[in-house]
Amino acid sequence: QVQLVESGGGLVQAGGSLRLSCAASGNIFSINAMGWYRQAPGKRRELVASIGRSGTTNYADSVKGRFTISRDNAKNTVYLQMNSLKPEDTAVYYCTVDIMQRNYWGRGTQVTVSS
């Protein structure tokens, strides 16, 4: 079993910053890609950012230049630094990890950006 625990969500004003963290624990041999998705009310879940084991990153166009994904392989943790937040960033943010080509998901953390 693999458990993912997200933290760092909350309420912030537009233009503010938040840092999300997601720690993986349990039966972990080696984590490949790690990433963050988000789902706003009435919308489909979408990729926000991903990072490979070697550090290669990928971002949704809507967050490029504002969000930064990073990881600490020793701690099995992935981070999402979110700056210049906008009301349209409001969503539940989920972390995901790829272990042995199987995806595991966290329960999500709410991010709310007020205008």
Side-chain angles (χ1 to χ4, degrees):
Q1 287 288 346
V2 175
Q3 295 81 39
L4 301 178
V5 178
E6 298 124 328
S7 61
L11 173 64
V12 65
Q13 289 187 334
S17 298
L18 285 173
R19 188 189 193 214
L20 305 183
S21 300
C22 174
S25 62
N27 189 15
I28 299 173
F29 176 67
S30 177
I31 300 177
N32 296 320
M34 306 179 84
W36 290 93
Y37 281 70
R38 67 186 180 187
Q39 187 167 20
K43 294 188 177 182
R44 297 175 62 180
R45 189 174 296 189
E46 63 176 0
L47 175 68
V48 176
S50 64
I51 183 167
R53 184 166 181 81
S54 62
T56 302
T57 59
N58 179 49
Y59 294 94
D61 288 342
S62 59
V63 307
K64 283 181 180 177
R66 300 188 298 122
F67 290 10
T68 302
I69 189 170
S70 60
R71 63 189 284 172
D72 184 332
N73 291 331
K75 296 181 179 180
N76 293 323
T77 300
V78 61
Y79 306 95
L80 186 68
Q81 178 66 44
M82 305 185 293
N83 298 329
S84 302
L85 282 161
K86 304 176 181 180
E88 50 263 43
D89 294 318
T90 295
V92 178
Y93 284 70
Y94 299 90
C95 74
T96 182
V97 300
D98 175 357
I99 300 174
M100 304 288 284
Q101 297 185 330
R102 178 177 175 177
N103 289 324
Y104 296 85
W105 293 85
R107 292 187 174 183
T109 184
Q110 176 70 46
V111 171
T112 302
V113 184
S114 62
S115 57

